[in-house]
Amino acid sequence: MSDDSRPSPSAARTAAVIPAAGRGVRLGPGAPKALRALGGTPMLIHAVRAMAASRHVSLVIVVAPPDGAGEVKSLLDAHALPERTDFLVVPGGATRQESVRLGLEALPSGHDIVLVHDAARPLVPVDTVDAVIEAVREGAPAVVPALPLADTVKEVEPAATPGDPEPVVATPGRERLRAVQTPQGFDRATLVRAHAEVTDDVTDDAGMVERLGLTVVAVPGHEEAFKVTRPLDLVLAEAVLARRRLNDGF
């Protein structure tokens, strides 16, 4: 007998979790990375708007620094956000993994697709967001947007002292490699299970799903969904935003 209580994949509601509790030390001293200004607006607001731009996303949960939930809530209240989308701010944890888990725990019932998005990827286009959601709706337990690599990649033996020469041990073929972006999309039950069962540290949520032995699929990413990590990235993001405003009235 089928379980008619579960929504069909096409009717599943989508929520986005944005972990924004990190300090962003590679951008230098000052405000947390997610609160750095981009075009006069905090990167976090750009990232929230990018998720809410998808008509499929009905809820955005922002996971704030443990002692900064009030500040982040005030920040969201101070900026224009789509009225058709709900927003929730919750305190985060000591690691990104813990912050995502806390965001998941705050997720109300009725949202069966979950996106996890880096606050430091403020310019991801809505078409990329929708492509990830669509792939989950079509049955993939986990989906990542990804780009082919432009550079040749070398595997090395890490130097004992940073900056010292490192012996190259292999040159992986680029045709099988991808640079992964966010938002990453998940069947909610799969992501909850991954956070319950995978306790060692991983670099992304899709990696946790891989540890469960489940298939993660990649969809085409976008060059403007890059991560703002270093000062030069911020310069590039400002240029992309300025071009959008000039060409599209963004």
Side-chain angles (χ1 to χ4, degrees):
M1 181 177 178
S2 64
D3 182 1
D4 295 331
S5 64
R6 284 182 59 86
S8 67
S10 61
R13 300 174 69 200
T14 300
V17 175
I18 302 180
R23 299 301 303 180
V25 293
R26 281 177 288 183
L27 273 179
K33 179 164 55 179
L35 304 186
R36 300 293 179 91
L38 172 59
T41 300
M43 280 200 293
L44 174 61
I45 298 299
H46 287 287
V48 168
R49 287 173 175 166
M51 296 300 98
S54 171
R55 60 185 177 83
H56 304 297
V57 175
S58 56
L59 172 65
V60 176
I61 297 178
V62 178
V63 187
D67 57 352
E71 178 185 2
V72 171
K73 177 70 164 60
S74 297
L75 193 68
L76 265 61
D77 290 341
H79 290 81
L81 299 172
E83 293 184 0
R84 59 176 170 75
T85 307
D86 293 327
F87 301 93
L88 180 64
V89 178
V90 299
T95 65
R96 182 186 186 279
Q97 200 165 328
E98 184 181 0
S99 292
V100 173
R101 179 179 56 78
L102 291 169
L104 277 174
E105 290 177 357
L107 183 59
S109 61
H111 296 83
D112 295 292
I113 296 175
V114 182
L115 304 178
V116 180
H117 184 56
D118 295 331
R121 297 184 190 270
L123 300 176
V124 56
V126 67
D127 288 351
T128 303
V129 180
D130 287 342
V132 171
I133 295 170
E134 185 61 30
V136 179
R137 285 183 165 181
E138 290 177 354
V143 179
V144 297
L147 291 177
L149 299 183
D151 297 323
T152 297
V153 176
K154 300 290 186 183
E155 182 183 352
V156 301
E157 185 67 39
T161 303
D164 283 357
E166 297 176 319
V168 172
V169 297
T171 304
R174 284 185 302 180
E175 66 278 0
R176 295 176 63 88
L177 299 177
R178 299 291 183 269
V180 173
Q181 303 173 324
T182 70
Q184 298 184 355
F186 304 90
D187 166 74
R188 177 180 181 166
T190 298
L191 186 58
V192 169
R193 178 188 161 201
H195 275 269
E197 296 184 16
V198 179
T199 56
D200 49 333
D201 204 20
V202 294
T203 57
D204 69 350
D205 295 272
M208 300 176 72
V209 174
E210 291 174 47
R211 299 285 181 91
L212 300 180
L214 300 177
T215 299
V216 176
V217 302
V219 298
H222 196 282
E223 61 184 5
E224 293 180 3
F226 61 90
K227 192 172 187 178
V228 179
T229 303
R230 298 173 176 84
L232 186 59
D233 301 326
L234 195 55
V235 174
L236 178 58
E238 291 279 6
V240 170
L241 187 59
R243 191 209 69 216
R244 285 187 183 181
R245 286 174 170 168
L246 181 64
N247 293 345
D248 309 322
F250 177 82

